PDB file of all heavy atoms in Angstrom:
ATOM      1  N   TYR A 137     -47.337 119.091 -26.140  1.00 89.00           N
ATOM      2  CA  TYR A 137     -48.196 120.226 -26.017  1.00 89.00           C
ATOM      3  C   TYR A 137     -48.175 121.292 -27.054  1.00 89.00           C
ATOM      4  O   TYR A 137     -49.077 121.822 -27.490  1.00 89.00           O
ATOM      5  CB  TYR A 137     -47.967 120.892 -24.557  1.00 89.00           C
ATOM      6  CG  TYR A 137     -48.233 119.981 -23.464  1.00 89.00           C
ATOM      7  CD1 TYR A 137     -47.146 119.384 -22.749  1.00 89.00           C
ATOM      8  CD2 TYR A 137     -49.558 119.616 -23.182  1.00 89.00           C
ATOM      9  CE1 TYR A 137     -47.410 118.598 -21.733  1.00 89.00           C
ATOM     10  CE2 TYR A 137     -49.766 118.748 -22.080  1.00 89.00           C
ATOM     11  CZ  TYR A 137     -48.683 118.142 -21.407  1.00 89.00           C
ATOM     12  OH  TYR A 137     -48.976 117.278 -20.418  1.00 89.00           O
ATOM     13  N   THR A 138     -46.780 121.514 -27.619  1.00 91.00           N
ATOM     14  CA  THR A 138     -46.673 122.501 -28.599  1.00 91.00           C
ATOM     15  C   THR A 138     -46.866 121.982 -30.038  1.00 91.00           C
ATOM     16  O   THR A 138     -47.075 122.801 -30.893  1.00 91.00           O
ATOM     17  CB  THR A 138     -45.193 123.056 -28.475  1.00 91.00           C
ATOM     18  OG1 THR A 138     -44.259 122.054 -28.862  1.00 91.00           O
ATOM     19  CG2 THR A 138     -44.896 123.590 -27.059  1.00 91.00           C
ATOM     20  N   ARG A 139     -46.732 120.771 -30.201  1.00 94.00           N
ATOM     21  CA  ARG A 139     -46.714 120.147 -31.540  1.00 94.00           C
ATOM     22  C   ARG A 139     -45.517 120.512 -32.410  1.00 94.00           C
ATOM     23  O   ARG A 139     -45.486 120.215 -33.509  1.00 94.00           O
ATOM     24  CB  ARG A 139     -48.011 120.375 -32.316  1.00 94.00           C
ATOM     25  CG  ARG A 139     -49.306 119.735 -31.676  1.00 94.00           C
ATOM     26  CD  ARG A 139     -48.866 118.358 -31.283  1.00 94.00           C
ATOM     27  NE  ARG A 139     -49.962 117.388 -31.313  1.00 94.00           N
ATOM     28  CZ  ARG A 139     -50.011 116.444 -30.479  1.00 94.00           C
ATOM     29  NH1 ARG A 139     -49.140 116.286 -29.448  1.00 94.00           N
ATOM     30  NH2 ARG A 139     -50.974 115.514 -30.522  1.00 94.00           N
ATOM     31  N   ASP A 140     -44.566 121.230 -31.791  1.00 97.00           N
ATOM     32  CA  ASP A 140     -43.407 121.647 -32.447  1.00 97.00           C
ATOM     33  C   ASP A 140     -42.245 120.612 -32.262  1.00 97.00           C
ATOM     34  O   ASP A 140     -41.434 120.749 -31.367  1.00 97.00           O
ATOM     35  CB  ASP A 140     -42.929 123.042 -31.943  1.00 97.00           C
ATOM     36  CG  ASP A 140     -41.877 123.727 -32.853  1.00 97.00           C
ATOM     37  OD1 ASP A 140     -41.309 122.946 -33.645  1.00 97.00           O
ATOM     38  OD2 ASP A 140     -41.635 124.825 -32.613  1.00 97.00           O
ATOM     39  N   PHE A 141     -42.269 119.532 -33.004  1.00 98.00           N
ATOM     40  CA  PHE A 141     -41.312 118.483 -32.905  1.00 98.00           C
ATOM     41  C   PHE A 141     -39.887 118.981 -33.405  1.00 98.00           C
ATOM     42  O   PHE A 141     -38.859 118.457 -33.020  1.00 98.00           O
ATOM     43  CB  PHE A 141     -41.712 117.276 -33.576  1.00 98.00           C
ATOM     44  CG  PHE A 141     -42.778 116.500 -32.794  1.00 98.00           C
ATOM     45  CD1 PHE A 141     -44.125 116.892 -32.804  1.00 98.00           C
ATOM     46  CD2 PHE A 141     -42.386 115.470 -31.950  1.00 98.00           C
ATOM     47  CE1 PHE A 141     -45.103 116.197 -31.941  1.00 98.00           C
ATOM     48  CE2 PHE A 141     -43.347 114.828 -31.212  1.00 98.00           C
ATOM     49  CZ  PHE A 141     -44.689 115.202 -31.203  1.00 98.00           C
ATOM     50  N   ALA A 142     -39.960 120.041 -34.324  1.00 98.00           N
ATOM     51  CA  ALA A 142     -38.684 120.508 -34.796  1.00 98.00           C
ATOM     52  C   ALA A 142     -37.912 121.203 -33.626  1.00 98.00           C
ATOM     53  O   ALA A 142     -36.693 121.084 -33.526  1.00 98.00           O
ATOM     54  CB  ALA A 142     -38.929 121.472 -35.996  1.00 98.00           C
ATOM     55  N   ALA A 143     -38.619 121.963 -32.819  1.00 98.00           N
ATOM     56  CA  ALA A 143     -37.969 122.660 -31.658  1.00 98.00           C
ATOM     57  C   ALA A 143     -37.464 121.603 -30.779  1.00 98.00           C
ATOM     58  O   ALA A 143     -36.351 121.737 -30.236  1.00 98.00           O
ATOM     59  CB  ALA A 143     -38.950 123.585 -31.016  1.00 98.00           C
ATOM     60  N   ALA A 144     -38.180 120.541 -30.451  1.00 98.00           N
ATOM     61  CA  ALA A 144     -37.726 119.500 -29.564  1.00 98.00           C
ATOM     62  C   ALA A 144     -36.497 118.844 -30.149  1.00 98.00           C
ATOM     63  O   ALA A 144     -35.466 118.609 -29.431  1.00 98.00           O
ATOM     64  CB  ALA A 144     -38.862 118.467 -29.374  1.00 98.00           C
ATOM     65  N   TYR A 145     -36.517 118.607 -31.426  1.00 98.00           N
ATOM     66  CA  TYR A 145     -35.319 118.003 -32.079  1.00 98.00           C
ATOM     67  C   TYR A 145     -34.153 118.849 -31.890  1.00 98.00           C
ATOM     68  O   TYR A 145     -33.010 118.375 -31.601  1.00 98.00           O
ATOM     69  CB  TYR A 145     -35.542 117.759 -33.575  1.00 98.00           C
ATOM     70  CG  TYR A 145     -34.467 117.205 -34.346  1.00 98.00           C
ATOM     71  CD1 TYR A 145     -34.226 115.754 -34.347  1.00 98.00           C
ATOM     72  CD2 TYR A 145     -33.433 117.931 -34.851  1.00 98.00           C
ATOM     73  CE1 TYR A 145     -33.102 115.195 -34.907  1.00 98.00           C
ATOM     74  CE2 TYR A 145     -32.314 117.413 -35.401  1.00 98.00           C
ATOM     75  CZ  TYR A 145     -32.183 115.972 -35.459  1.00 98.00           C
ATOM     76  OH  TYR A 145     -31.037 115.508 -36.086  1.00 98.00           O
ATOM     77  N   ARG A 146     -34.309 120.129 -32.165  1.00 98.00           N
ATOM     78  CA  ARG A 146     -33.127 121.087 -32.032  1.00 98.00           C
ATOM     79  C   ARG A 146     -32.571 121.126 -30.588  1.00 98.00           C
ATOM     80  O   ARG A 146     -31.325 121.065 -30.393  1.00 98.00           O
ATOM     81  CB  ARG A 146     -33.550 122.516 -32.460  1.00 98.00           C
ATOM     82  CG  ARG A 146     -33.628 122.690 -33.866  1.00 98.00           C
ATOM     83  CD  ARG A 146     -33.873 124.231 -34.326  1.00 98.00           C
ATOM     84  NE  ARG A 146     -34.990 124.878 -33.622  1.00 98.00           N
ATOM     85  CZ  ARG A 146     -36.225 124.877 -34.142  1.00 98.00           C
ATOM     86  NH1 ARG A 146     -36.518 124.280 -35.271  1.00 98.00           N
ATOM     87  NH2 ARG A 146     -37.219 125.483 -33.498  1.00 98.00           N
ATOM     88  N   ASP A 147     -33.482 121.159 -29.626  1.00 98.00           N
ATOM     89  CA  ASP A 147     -33.009 121.127 -28.210  1.00 98.00           C
ATOM     90  C   ASP A 147     -32.318 119.896 -27.872  1.00 98.00           C
ATOM     91  O   ASP A 147     -31.277 119.892 -27.247  1.00 98.00           O
ATOM     92  CB  ASP A 147     -34.239 121.286 -27.284  1.00 98.00           C
ATOM     93  CG  ASP A 147     -34.728 122.689 -27.204  1.00 98.00           C
ATOM     94  OD1 ASP A 147     -34.179 123.641 -27.782  1.00 98.00           O
ATOM     95  OD2 ASP A 147     -35.872 122.790 -26.510  1.00 98.00           O
ATOM     96  N   ILE A 148     -32.902 118.661 -28.292  1.00 98.00           N
ATOM     97  CA  ILE A 148     -32.354 117.420 -28.023  1.00 98.00           C
ATOM     98  C   ILE A 148     -30.967 117.234 -28.630  1.00 98.00           C
ATOM     99  O   ILE A 148     -29.934 116.796 -27.997  1.00 98.00           O
ATOM    100  CB  ILE A 148     -33.320 116.289 -28.320  1.00 98.00           C
ATOM    101  CG1 ILE A 148     -34.557 116.378 -27.411  1.00 98.00           C
ATOM    102  CG2 ILE A 148     -32.605 114.938 -28.277  1.00 98.00           C
ATOM    103  CD1 ILE A 148     -35.688 115.488 -27.947  1.00 98.00           C
ATOM    104  N   SER A 149     -30.883 117.710 -29.944  1.00 98.00           N
ATOM    105  CA  SER A 149     -29.550 117.571 -30.650  1.00 98.00           C
ATOM    106  C   SER A 149     -28.471 118.382 -29.921  1.00 98.00           C
ATOM    107  O   SER A 149     -27.389 117.900 -29.672  1.00 98.00           O
ATOM    108  CB  SER A 149     -29.703 118.052 -32.030  1.00 98.00           C
ATOM    109  OG  SER A 149     -30.505 117.123 -32.743  1.00 98.00           O
ATOM    110  N   LEU A 150     -28.831 119.569 -29.513  1.00 98.00           N
ATOM    111  CA  LEU A 150     -27.884 120.461 -28.825  1.00 98.00           C
ATOM    112  C   LEU A 150     -27.402 119.782 -27.524  1.00 98.00           C
ATOM    113  O   LEU A 150     -26.197 119.710 -27.297  1.00 98.00           O
ATOM    114  CB  LEU A 150     -28.556 121.796 -28.517  1.00 98.00           C
ATOM    115  CG  LEU A 150     -27.694 122.818 -27.670  1.00 98.00           C
ATOM    116  CD1 LEU A 150     -26.548 123.257 -28.497  1.00 98.00           C
ATOM    117  CD2 LEU A 150     -28.648 123.944 -27.339  1.00 98.00           C
ATOM    118  N   GLY A 151     -28.320 119.273 -26.712  1.00 98.00           N
ATOM    119  CA  GLY A 151     -28.029 118.601 -25.468  1.00 98.00           C
ATOM    120  C   GLY A 151     -27.193 117.330 -25.745  1.00 98.00           C
ATOM    121  O   GLY A 151     -26.226 117.110 -25.020  1.00 98.00           O
TER     122      GLY A 151
END
Side-chain angles (χ1 to χ4, degrees):
Y137 299 105
T138 65
R139 294 316 209 213
D140 190 348
F141 284 81
Y145 179 87
R146 285 190 302 273
D147 285 351
I148 293 166
S149 292
L150 176 67

